[in-house]
Amino acid sequence: MNILITGGAGFIGSHVVRRLVTNYPHDNIINLDVLTYAGNLENLKDIQDKPNYIFVKGDIGDEALVDELFKKHHITHVVHLAAESHVDRSIKDPLIFLKTNIIGTANLLQVAKKHWSGDYNGKLFYHISTDEVYGSLEMGTDMFTEETAYDPRSPYSASKASSDHLVRAFYHTYHMPVVISNCSNNYGPNHFPEKLIPLMLHNIIHKKPLPVYGKGENVRDWLYVEDHARAIDVILHHGKPGETYNIGGHNEWKNIDIVHYLCDAMDAKLGRSSGESRELITYVTDRAGHDLRYAIDASKIKNELGWVPAETFETGIAKTIDWYLHNQEWLDHVTSGAYQEYYEKMYHE
Ligand code: NAD
Ligand code: TYD
């Protein structure tokens, strides 16, 4: 397989790249990433010299570049993760979300169609998406299934919903073999400290305020990132073209309970007195249009492909906390901006 992975320098993408490069040495992995603020090649230091791995800095919306990559590397599979991914940024500046997530995806589909059409044998376009396309649930026990109607409510989720629709349109219209997975909130190593869990860990370490939106009552379903990367591996190799798979941890938490959990775990790790970090909690103005609750029914991927999460929240968070405490340099480089010089240093000097 010659696999074009997009967004491989980001949080989830870097775990997927490492997994595929390491576990499938006979496949070629081409990582196309434009290195926005969220792209960090320090995430991939350990595998950057592997013979089956190539990094290309570039935009998924650059038709000539994507065309060239398909030609040069005889791309057979696309694993598409590149996106603008942060809801708060999408509220401030929606247009870049439309450009990257919708137009960028359309460009990848169009170039794949050009190179593959007529011979879709052994080809797959795999789009990595989010549960946020399904909208927001009330408190209770109902969950998103693969049949839940789309009802995106933020510019981010609307852009991801649009790209999902485009991917399905290429399946129905041109018979392109596609697969989509919609996953719940991820956490784990290499997570950019603008999202809830890494931001809280960073601020607890530095004794900075912990901003909790609204009353902290919103619920998210959390999945350890390595479990997501393994699900992507399983779907890439065994998923059925035309299908959608929901991925989730059956692991719902109110935000405020997560923040309390992190405060207490970090106090114990850092030898601080019990309750010290909870003092940092600061309730701030709620996010505009804040989705109340997400919850995923992941029984299809379990029943059809045999995937279940390996980590509980407790084991996954323990690994995550250890990683952030042992990788202060990564965190310092991200917060100082030094990580953005890594590409020039490693690939151009
Ligand atoms: P991320 O923001 O950490 O990484 C995104 C990556 O895409 C970065 O490396 C960035 O440089 C790259 N990128 C952005 N625009 C690009 C462009 N125009 N061309 C090429 N590369 C570009 O995101 P993430 O959290 O790793 O999410 C990856 C994918 O998974 C996204 O599609 C996201 O919607 C989806 N997803 C994320 C979560 C989550 O909890 N983080 C959950 C479900 C689905
Ligand atoms: P986030 O990590 O941004 O993921 P998403 O919005 O995609 O679910 O936010 C997770 C939850 O945490 C969400 O309900 C918003 C909330 N939140 C805070 O309360 N404070 C924060 O500083 C951030 C970043 C998020």
Side-chain angles (χ1 to χ4, degrees):
M1 285 160 59
N2 297 320
I3 308 171
L4 179 67
I5 301 190
T6 69
F11 166 46
I12 301 169
S14 61
H15 289 270
V16 174
V17 165
R18 178 176 302 99
R19 184 177 179 91
L20 297 184
V21 164
T22 309
N23 291 0
Y24 303 96
H26 299 298
D27 292 339
N28 297 306
I29 312 297
I30 296 94
N31 174 12
L32 172 64
D33 195 304
V34 79
L35 300 180
T36 66
Y37 77 95
N40 183 349
L41 288 176
E42 292 188 14
N43 294 348
L44 292 167
K45 264 181 185 169
D46 55 325
I47 58 105
Q48 70 188 14
D49 296 325
K50 295 272 186 194
N52 62 334
Y53 172 71
I54 295 170
F55 174 73
V56 178
K57 183 176 183 211
D59 196 316
I60 55 167
D62 181 340
E63 188 185 342
L65 172 66
V66 177
D67 189 64
E68 167 72 22
L69 292 177
F70 265 77
K71 214 181 297 164
K72 185 166 168 197
H73 300 288
H74 307 284
I75 299 297
T76 55
H77 294 70
V78 177
V79 179
H80 175 34
L81 296 111
E84 289 293 336
S85 69
H86 189 35
V87 174
D88 291 326
R89 286 180 188 257
S90 83
I91 293 168
K92 286 200 192 85
D93 184 10
L95 289 190
I96 182 68
F97 284 71
L98 312 192
K99 182 166 175 275
T100 293
N101 301 0
I102 307 176
I103 305 293
T105 301
N107 185 55
L108 290 172
L109 285 164
Q110 189 67 2
V111 176
K113 175 164 92 59
K114 177 179 147 191
H115 284 267
W116 294 347
S117 78
D119 182 15
Y120 282 137
N121 212 357
K123 312 288 197 309
L124 186 69
F125 190 104
Y126 178 6
H127 184 225
I128 314 301
S129 192
T130 167
D131 61 352
E132 302 189 25
V133 298
Y134 297 122
S136 179
L137 295 166
E138 293 303 317
M139 292 299 180
T141 53
D142 54 335
M143 291 190 264
F144 300 135
T145 73
E146 287 80 359
E147 273 70 51
T148 303
Y150 275 31
D151 183 21
R153 296 147 56 101
S154 73
Y156 164 65
S157 54
S159 69
K160 292 295 290 188
S162 303
S163 54
D164 287 3
H165 288 320
L166 275 171
V167 172
R168 286 198 186 96
F170 271 64
Y171 174 73
H172 290 290
T173 311
Y174 308 112
H175 312 294
M176 181 186 284
V178 307
V179 71
I180 298 176
S181 57
N182 298 84
C183 188
S184 62
N185 287 55
N186 285 212
Y187 68 95
N190 302 115
H191 205 182
F192 197 86
E194 63 180 355
K195 308 264 170 80
L196 180 72
I197 290 181
L199 179 75
M200 295 297 154
L201 293 178
H202 173 265
N203 287 12
I204 291 169
I205 292 170
H206 295 282
K207 298 192 177 181
K208 289 167 89 173
L210 309 177
V212 172
Y213 299 168
K215 295 188 178 133
E217 297 284 315
N218 302 62
V219 171
R220 298 291 182 266
D221 171 13
W222 293 93
L223 182 71
Y224 189 62
V225 64
E226 284 292 344
D227 276 328
H228 189 190
R230 186 166 44 82
I232 291 172
D233 180 349
V234 168
I235 291 169
L236 174 66
H237 290 94
H238 305 289
K240 201 166 148 238
E243 294 290 317
T244 294
Y245 299 91
N246 279 354
I247 307 170
H250 288 291
N251 181 30
E252 291 180 53
W253 284 74
K254 274 188 189 169
N255 293 338
I256 189 62
D257 293 338
I258 294 234
V259 175
H260 284 153
Y261 189 98
L262 296 177
C263 287
D264 298 347
M266 290 290 275
D267 283 348
K269 276 272 172 196
L270 297 170
R272 293 182 186 166
S273 56
S274 163
E276 193 177 330
S277 295
R278 287 191 186 210
E279 301 282 318
L280 300 167
I281 293 172
T282 311
Y283 291 92
V284 298
T285 309
D286 208 355
R287 173 185 282 171
H290 197 170
D291 287 343
L292 182 62
R293 174 174 166 254
Y294 304 141
I296 278 272
D297 176 347
S299 45
K300 177 175 173 181
I301 184 171
K302 177 181 171 195
N303 296 336
E304 294 187 9
L305 302 179
W307 176 91
V308 288
E311 303 291 343
T312 63
F313 189 69
E314 287 72 15
T315 60
I317 278 290
K319 286 184 179 180
T320 306
I321 287 177
D322 281 345
W323 190 86
Y324 277 91
L325 290 176
H326 289 111
N327 288 276
Q328 297 267 356
E329 190 183 76
W330 182 91
L331 205 49
D332 291 345
H333 284 185
V334 166
T335 44
S336 72
Y339 72 109
Q340 286 174 316
E341 290 151 26
Y342 190 82
Y343 172 73
E344 292 301 327
K345 232 170 30 207
M346 296 311 298
Y347 289 82
H348 281 284
E349 274 175 12

